Each structure stands twice: as structure tokens, then as C-alpha cells.
Amino acid sequence: MTHDTFTPADRPDLTPEETPDGARTDHPDDRPDGKGADIVPIESARAGRHPYSKLSDRPDGPPDDSTPTVADRPVLEGDIVRVDQSGPDRHDWRTDLEAKARTRQPIVPLWLRSRAEAAQTLRWVGLHYAHVTGYQLARAPLYGGRLAIRAPRGFVRLVGGMVRWTFDLEGEPVRVATVLKADPEAYLKLSRQRDSRVRLRVWVTGAALVVLLIAAIVVANQPTAVQWTALAAALALLGILGKPADRPLINRAVVASAVEKLTGDIVIRSLTVLGIAGINQAMAKNAKDAIRFVAPITRDGPGWRADIDLPYGVTVADVLDKRDRMASALRRPLGCIWPEGDSSIHEGRLILWVGDKDLSKTVVKSPLVKAGMHDVFKGIPFGSDPRGRAVTVPIIEHNILIGSQPGQGKTASVRVLASGAALDPSTEMWIHELKGTGDVEAHEQNCHRYVSGIEDEAIAYAADSLVLLRKEVMRRAAALKALPPDLCPDKKVTRQIADKRSLGLHPLIAIFDECQNLFAHPEYGKQAGEDAEFIIKLGRALGVVLILATQRPDKDSLPTGISANVSIRFCLRVAGQLENDMILGTSAYKNGIRATMFVPGPPAKGGDAGTGYLVGATQMPKVVKSAYLDTPATQKIADRARALRSGAGVLTGHALGERPEQVTPSFDLLADILAVVPPAEAKVWNEVVVDRLGELRPDAYGAWVALEGGAKTGQLTTALKPYGVRTMQVWGTPEGGGKGANRIGIARDDILAAVTQRDKSRVSGAAS
């Protein structure tokens, strides 16, 4: 039951100051008139606390005449604030300042912050103006002849101009017009103006003629050299005045570029034609602010740079997919358009660089060609980015993976790295060229271990190298641990430690070109992959560096443990997303780092051979064109390196003609089986084949012969599995005579088929 009024007698348990709804009343003793507390209607009290006393008073509630109206209730002060709307943004000034500090422009230009880049820029400027000066000086006689020929015309123009100015002939048509209109007042006014002008100008012209006459007399009394100088100056002045409008006097030393200056309107035009829904929708809503330029468009090297914030929801990857359409919109060759992102800011920050020259037409010269010596601890000069800036690849504490389709410049990139390593005499080189074409044969004379070939012997040699490298990593780990802290505080190989040859901790760089032929080999591949992964993980700080190059990046030819742990990756043109991410890392394609955008083929045919994405060598992924070293240039570098190493006394192993250490016996199992199983025997037991192999090569198969019973048979079965040869039940009799039986054996035709298939694979691999 609800009471409309309340008295203290209704609730004796409450104090005089309290009411059922928690409101306070005045104590009788506190009132001036001494009367008791007021009786307050509960509806009125509630109305004082809430803008609407009950549902009927709400704007959307039903009307009720029995309740007090809004006008009858007390007026509430203050504003009603909706809780579903955010208030004004309040920014912390320190946070805003920190955000601005991250994007502030450098005081010193970027090209001046790098000594090499500054020297390169100043050298370019100096050569440019030296060329311009020499070009113009060589044509000075031609320009003098032109001035002499044009001088008469200039004299006529000068005299005619002076006459027109002196007698105000420019105003003659206006005065004639007043005569034709029969306007005497205007004519008289113009005539008086003309007379006043002519009177002054006649005196000026006369004074000028007198000065010229005096100057001529003075010059006539001067030595011959002065007279000829004055004549040349007069002819030059008159020749300039007599210049035809369509024929300039001086030829241009550099033909003006047809490259259009990059402006905001051009950039917006190129982005809107890409057909990206997010850009088109943002432009339709607010064309002015949809695409925001966070910095002015400026010259950056031989091209223009624009820093852009794409519309919300649009990523740089969306733009990279349509690079060819952007090139069409900018009316530039595809090799001039290089958009890239800056994910350190956000995924929508686009850095658009538009070059003056097609990168595919640029030949990057390596400084190694003229270098007398090089320090690998400072990295190896590898190439340049589209802006012409030199790019150096760090070697120490890194491993490198290079991948591409055939013919895209992979081996040429390996040649650059090998040349840089060879010019450091403290570096020990192991080169394994598993294609058999001898692309890096020039450096054979500098290698501790070297092999070139695609046959099983070459693959076995490369597998042995990985086994030896694994042992070397473990030896170095113990040697480095034993060094005193003052010599090796960071527990890693440094230049000072590498120079102490007695420690055996010098840089060791092992190159495996066409490494897929090793890792996919049915006999040596699995163990080689495990050894390489071990070396990559632990050898980094010990001075052991692997450089792997492959043209078939998949899980079989490039184990995931290797591709996931290399720190530097260089990916030239590849066919699809899978190959791209195998080389550049997981999600690289999704993040816009896409080597699929490069045009296949050599530069002579408009291709991007030699150009790829370099990841891990610089702070951000970067498009880089590797330097080009042809065979003669590589040979000169190799000869220079040989002299350095010979003088330092560090030539070892293969370079001195020493017999290489061999871990894996070198033999061809299939060929050996065909040798011990004549064509007359279609099928033969495994145990018989093993005994015959033991007689043929005791060193290689002696351990198999020593096995008993099924172990001997199983050994051959296991060895044949990688070649796809399956064993079967074979009926036969022992070679010494006895009862016939069914035992595990092989068919000679299966061995022949395996050999044929293997040879076909080798031929196709060499051709690719």
C-alpha cells in the first residue's frame, strides 16, 4: 500500500530527521517557529529529484490530468547530457608532441647524412656541370659565328627601335584612329602628348648618340686588343638582338627530360584510376580529404617522392597489385614506378617514388671492381635501390637466402657476394655450384672447398661440407667460450678475433648455388637439410655464414627449418604467392612485399632480371637491383684476391691442390648394382646383391655384408627407397647350390628404370 502522505506516527522506528525515501526533514527544535516537521507529498519529492515524476509525465508517456504538470513542478537547473554521445576530444599535449616528433622532417637532408651518398651526389653534380662547361666551351666558335651572322639584323632592329621610340611611332595608329572617327578633341590631346614625348626623347637619343660617338673615338685610339674586345662586345650585343625567335643561340648540353613533374593532382589521378573500391568511395564522399599528403612532394634522388595516407581501409598491398595501371596513369615506364609502404607508421602509409629513368635500363656498377681489399665485417656492396642509393648487405652474424625463377639474376647476385668475400683475405670460402656451369669458377683459386657439378659425386661433396661445417660450429662454440671476457665480451666473432688466425675463428662463408639439387636429393637431402638448419641456428655468432641460392623454393627442395631461420632474403622474380613467401617469409605477400610484380626476362627485353626484394639487410624491405659483374670483371677480382691471400699466407685446401676431406663414401649405388647384376639375371635376391657389392667396393659396402640375415636384406631395401625402387618376392637358389626358395629381391629392369628417371631429372635440372 502506498501512502501519499507521511507522519511520524506511521513509522515510530524512524528518527524525526528521516522519511521512508531517505529524505531529511527539519528537526522541530531547529525551526524558528518551533513547529514540527513539514509533511511532504512523496510525489512532489520524487518530482524534485527526477525530471519526470512518473510515466505519464514523460514526453512519450500517456497524458494524465491528475498529476502535476511540468510548469507546476520545480524548475531543474543544469543541462541534460546524453550518455550515448562522446564529449569533446581531449588530447594530452605530450602525446601529441611525441606523435609529431616521430614524423618531423630531418634538419639535414638525407643525402647529406650519409658520407657515401653525399660524396656520390656531389660527384654527380660536379660531373654534370663539368660536362656542361666543356660542352659549351667546345662550341664557343660556333656561337661566335652565329652572333656575327645575326649582328646586321640586330643593328637594323636597334636603329628601328630607337627611331620608333624617339618619334613615338607606337602611338601613330591611335592618332590615325581619332582622325578617322573625326574626333578633333581627342586628336589634339594625343598630338600634344606626342609632341611633349618627342621633345624629351630627341634629347635623350641625341645624348646617347654623342656618348656612343665619344666611346668609338676613345676605342679607336686604344690598342688593337681593346678594339677587338669592343668589336666582339658590340657584335655579341647586336647578335643577341638579332636572334630569331625559333632558333636559340646556345645549344643545350643536356637534353631536357620529358618527365612530367609529379604533383598532387597527378598522384590523385593515378590512384583513382586503379579501380580500388575504398579509394573511389572515399573520393565520392569527400574528394578533398580522401587522399592526404603528409609531406610536400619533393625530389628524392633521380625522381619524385610523395608520402601519402590512403583512405581508411585501403592498404598499400591494394596499390601494389595494380602497379602496372598506376604506371599507365602516370605515363611512365613500369620500371619508374616504385610504390612501397611504411608499416612502422600504419598499413595505409604509401611512399610513392617515381623515377626519371627506368630501373630495368640501369646497369649498377660494383665498387668491388676497383677495390684493392674489402672488410666483410662492414658488409658487402650489393647493388642500389631505385633511387640510386648504394645498398650494402651485412654478412657477419647473418645467413642469406636468394631465390627466383631461372634466368632472373640469382647466380649473378651470388657472384657479387662471393667477390666481396674473396677480397677479404681473412675469410675462408667454400663454394658449391650445383648446376655444373661454372658460373663462379673464377673464385675456385681462392676456395678451401670447391665443387661444380650436378652429378651424385658433387652432391655428396656438398653434403660432406655441411657435415664438416656442423662439426666446425661445435668446435668454434667451445673455442669462443674459452676466450677471456676482455677479449670476447659479447661471445661473438669480431674483427679483432678474426684477425687472430691461430684461434680459428675467422669468417667462414659457404655458398650453395642451386641448393635445391642438394636438399631434394633422395640420398643426401634429408641429412643435408638438418645440418644446414643446425648451422643457420648456431653458426651466426661464430662467424659461419651460409649463402643459399635456389630456383625452386618449396618444402622439399628448401626445408622449412632453413627458410624460417635465415635472416637476410633476396627474392627476384617468382611465379606466385607460395614461392614468394617461401623466400621472403610468411605473410610477405599479404603485407605487400611481392616479388611477383617484377617483369620476367633480361633488361634488354624490358625485364627486371637482377631486381628483387631485399628483406633483413635494411630496416624496411627494399627493392634492390644487384650490381652486375661479368666474367672478365669477376676474374680480375678473383686474381686480385688470390694475390692478397697468397701474400697473407692463408691459402688452404682446394686452393693449394690438397685432397679434400671426405665424409660420405662417393659411389653410385644404382650403377654398382647394374655392374654386379648382369642382364641375364632378371631378378636376384637382396642378400646376393649385397655380397656382390661387398666384393666390388669393400670400403663402401663392407658394413652391409657383415650384417646377418634380414638386416642385410633390409639394408639394401632401405637404400633403394629414395630412388623409388621396391623389392619383391623372388624365386631363386643359392649361388653355391641348394634348395630353391622365395626371398626378398629386386628386378634389374626396376634399377634401369630408376637410372633413366634420375638422368632425365638431372638433364632437366641443368637445362633450367
Side-chain angles (χ1 to χ4, degrees):
M1 180 176 180
T2 304
H3 296 277
D4 292 336
T5 59
F6 167 77
T7 63
D10 295 330
R11 292 288 301 276
D13 58 318
L14 298 178
T15 60
E17 293 85 357
E18 298 179 356
T19 62
D21 59 353
R24 293 188 57 85
T25 62
D26 295 332
H27 194 278
D29 298 338
D30 297 334
R31 294 177 58 84
D33 54 4
K35 296 181 180 181
D38 293 336
I39 299 175
V40 181
I42 191 170
E43 294 292 344
S44 300
R46 289 174 178 172
R49 295 197 311 270
H50 197 278
Y52 307 117
S53 61
K54 58 183 181 179
L55 180 62
S56 61
D57 291 331
R58 297 178 183 176
D60 55 350
D64 189 353
D65 297 337
S66 63
T67 59
T69 63
V70 176
D72 296 333
R73 292 195 295 268
V75 178
L76 299 179
E77 297 181 357
D79 298 330
I80 299 175
V81 180
R82 291 183 59 183
V83 297
D84 61 341
Q85 290 183 344
S86 60
D89 294 336
R90 295 181 179 180
H91 298 284
D92 179 61
W93 67 273
R94 294 182 60 185
T95 303
D96 293 343
L97 188 60
E98 290 176 1
K100 293 178 180 179
R102 288 194 298 268
T103 58
R104 59 191 176 192
Q105 298 295 318
I107 297 176
V108 180
L110 294 177
W111 65 272
L112 277 177
R113 300 172 71 178
S114 169
R115 178 179 298 179
E117 190 170 349
Q120 183 180 7
T121 302
L122 294 176
R123 178 175 176 272
W124 181 89
V125 172
L127 290 176
H128 170 74
Y129 285 105
H131 171 77
V132 172
T133 303
Y135 181 91
Q136 300 299 356
L137 288 176
R139 285 157 180 77
L142 173 64
Y143 302 151
R146 288 179 180 175
L147 290 173
I149 294 173
R150 296 173 181 179
R153 181 188 297 150
F155 179 77
V156 172
R157 289 181 177 178
L158 177 62
V159 173
M162 291 180 63
V163 171
R164 286 193 299 272
W165 179 80
T166 303
F167 298 102
D168 195 19
L169 297 181
E170 293 86 353
E172 185 68 21
V174 180
R175 293 190 291 273
V176 172
T178 58
V179 174
L180 296 176
K181 292 181 180 180
D183 188 354
E185 184 177 353
Y187 175 77
L188 291 175
K189 182 178 180 181
L190 292 175
S191 297
R192 287 192 295 269
Q193 183 185 49
R194 185 252 182 192
D195 293 341
S196 62
R197 285 181 176 179
V198 169
R199 279 193 295 269
L200 177 61
R201 293 179 180 181
V202 166
W203 284 103
V204 173
T205 302
L209 292 175
V210 171
V211 171
L212 289 175
L213 181 60
I214 295 174
I217 295 173
V218 171
V219 170
N221 295 324
Q222 296 296 322
T224 305
V226 176
Q227 295 176 359
W228 281 109
T229 302
L231 179 61
L235 289 176
L237 178 61
L238 295 175
I240 293 174
L241 293 176
K243 178 182 72 69
D246 59 339
R247 296 178 62 186
L249 172 65
I250 298 176
N251 297 340
R252 298 185 67 91
V254 179
V255 178
S257 174
V259 178
E260 186 178 20
K261 179 181 178 181
L262 194 67
T263 63
D265 293 337
I266 295 175
V267 172
I268 293 175
R269 179 190 68 193
S270 67
L271 291 173
T272 53
V273 301
L274 300 182
I276 300 175
I279 294 180
N280 294 338
Q281 293 172 3
M283 291 293 294
K285 292 180 180 179
N286 186 0
K288 181 179 180 181
D289 299 325
I291 298 174
R292 189 169 68 91
F293 292 86
V294 297
I297 298 177
T298 58
R299 289 288 295 180
D300 185 7
W304 298 90
R305 169 175 172 155
D307 292 32
I308 306 161
D309 272 347
L310 297 171
Y312 296 111
V314 181
T315 65
V316 175
D318 299 330
V319 176
L320 292 178
D321 279 339
K322 304 179 183 298
R323 175 170 161 256
D324 53 345
R325 299 187 64 178
M326 176 175 284
S328 174
L330 293 172
R331 290 295 185 262
R332 301 293 295 131
L334 187 61
C336 294
I337 310 302
W338 298 105
E340 60 185 34
D342 190 352
S343 57
S344 63
I345 300 177
H346 57 76
E347 297 299 328
R349 173 62 57 83
L350 172 66
I351 300 175
L352 175 61
W353 191 83
V354 180
D356 299 338
K357 188 177 180 181
D358 191 342
L359 182 63
S360 64
K361 303 296 190 297
T362 303
V363 177
V364 181
K365 297 181 179 179
S366 175
L368 298 174
V369 175
K370 298 182 179 180
M373 183 184 295
H374 187 70
D375 184 1
V376 295
F377 282 85
K378 297 180 180 179
I380 294 178
F382 186 66
S384 68
D385 64 3
R387 306 175 196 180
R389 299 176 297 187
V391 176
T392 299
V393 172
I395 291 292
I396 305 301
E397 298 189 39
H398 291 279
N399 296 281
I400 301 175
L401 175 62
I402 302 174
S404 74
Q405 290 179 320
Q408 290 304 119
K410 168 178 49 60
T411 302
S413 303
V414 171
R415 190 184 293 131
V416 173
L417 296 176
S419 298
L423 286 175
D424 188 338
S426 70
T427 301
E428 184 176 327
M429 295 178 61
W430 296 15
I431 293 181
H432 312 82
E433 191 269 297
L434 302 180
K435 186 167 61 174
T437 56
D439 291 325
V440 286
E441 187 176 5
H443 290 294
E444 179 181 0
Q445 58 185 319
N446 300 310
C447 291
H448 177 76
R449 288 178 66 86
Y450 176 85
V451 68
S452 175
I454 195 174
E455 61 278 355
D456 283 350
E457 289 78 7
I459 302 299
Y461 186 96
D464 285 350
S465 292
L466 289 174
V467 174
L468 296 173
L469 284 173
R470 184 166 186 162
K471 294 179 181 179
E472 177 68 10
V473 166
M474 292 186 290
R475 183 198 68 79
R476 288 182 175 225
L480 198 67
K481 183 179 180 181
L483 293 178
D486 59 333
L487 181 61
C488 185
D490 298 326
K491 296 301 178 184
K492 62 182 181 181
V493 175
T494 62
R495 177 80 269 176
Q496 292 73 22
I497 295 175
D499 288 338
K500 299 181 183 297
R501 197 76 180 185
S502 60
L503 298 177
L505 295 175
H506 51 276
L508 195 162
I509 297 178
I511 298 174
F512 293 83
D513 191 16
E514 305 296 350
C515 64
Q516 75 277 357
N517 294 331
L518 170 60
F519 296 131
H521 193 275
E523 185 173 351
Y524 309 114
K526 182 178 180 181
Q527 185 60 46
E530 294 176 358
D531 292 337
E533 183 178 351
F534 178 88
I535 297 164
I536 288 173
K537 289 180 178 179
L538 300 182
R540 182 183 64 83
L542 304 173
V544 179
V545 178
L546 289 188
I547 299 176
L548 307 174
T550 179
Q551 61 175 312
R552 196 174 66 195
D554 54 46
K555 62 181 181 62
D556 296 325
S557 59
L558 185 64
T560 55
I562 295 176
S563 61
N565 287 285
V566 291
S567 54
I568 296 178
R569 309 156 188 266
F570 185 55
C571 186
L572 300 105
R573 161 74 187 186
V574 291
Q577 178 178 353
L578 177 62
E579 297 86 349
N580 186 88
D581 288 355
M582 283 291 293
I583 299 296
L584 295 176
T586 305
S587 300
Y589 190 91
K590 180 181 178 181
N591 295 331
I593 309 172
R594 302 178 179 181
T596 55
M597 72 177 182
F598 301 122
V599 179
K605 297 182 179 180
D608 287 325
T611 303
Y613 258 111
L614 182 64
V615 177
T618 56
Q619 185 177 6
M620 297 292 295
K622 181 177 292 188
V623 173
V624 174
K625 183 163 187 177
S626 62
Y628 179 69
L629 292 175
D630 56 13
T631 301
T634 306
Q635 187 64 51
K636 291 180 180 178
I637 294 174
D639 294 342
R640 200 180 313 131
R642 173 78 181 194
L644 287 172
R645 292 169 179 270
S646 179
V650 295
L651 291 173
T652 59
H654 184 86
L656 293 178
E658 298 176 357
R659 183 182 180 89
E661 181 179 356
Q662 188 169 334
V663 179
T664 304
S666 178
F667 60 90
D668 187 339
L669 176 61
L670 298 181
D672 290 348
I673 293 175
L674 293 177
V676 299
V677 179
E681 292 184 87
K683 297 180 180 180
V684 63
W685 290 343
N686 275 13
E687 58 191 75
V688 173
V689 174
V690 171
D691 290 338
R692 294 178 183 177
L693 289 174
E695 295 177 0
L696 179 67
R697 299 182 189 273
D699 295 340
Y701 305 107
W704 296 12
V705 177
L707 298 175
E708 298 291 339
K712 181 187 294 186
T713 300
Q715 181 66 40
L716 182 59
T717 301
T718 302
L720 289 174
K721 278 185 178 180
Y723 299 99
V725 177
R726 296 183 179 182
T727 56
M728 65 189 73
Q729 290 291 329
V730 175
W731 173 265
T733 57
E735 290 189 325
K739 186 178 180 180
N742 270 323
R743 297 180 184 178
I744 298 297
I746 59 173
R748 193 175 191 277
D749 288 344
D750 292 345
I751 302 298
L752 284 171
V755 171
T756 302
Q757 181 62 34
R758 184 189 63 184
D759 292 344
K760 288 182 179 179
S761 300
R762 288 179 178 177
V763 172
S764 62
S768 61

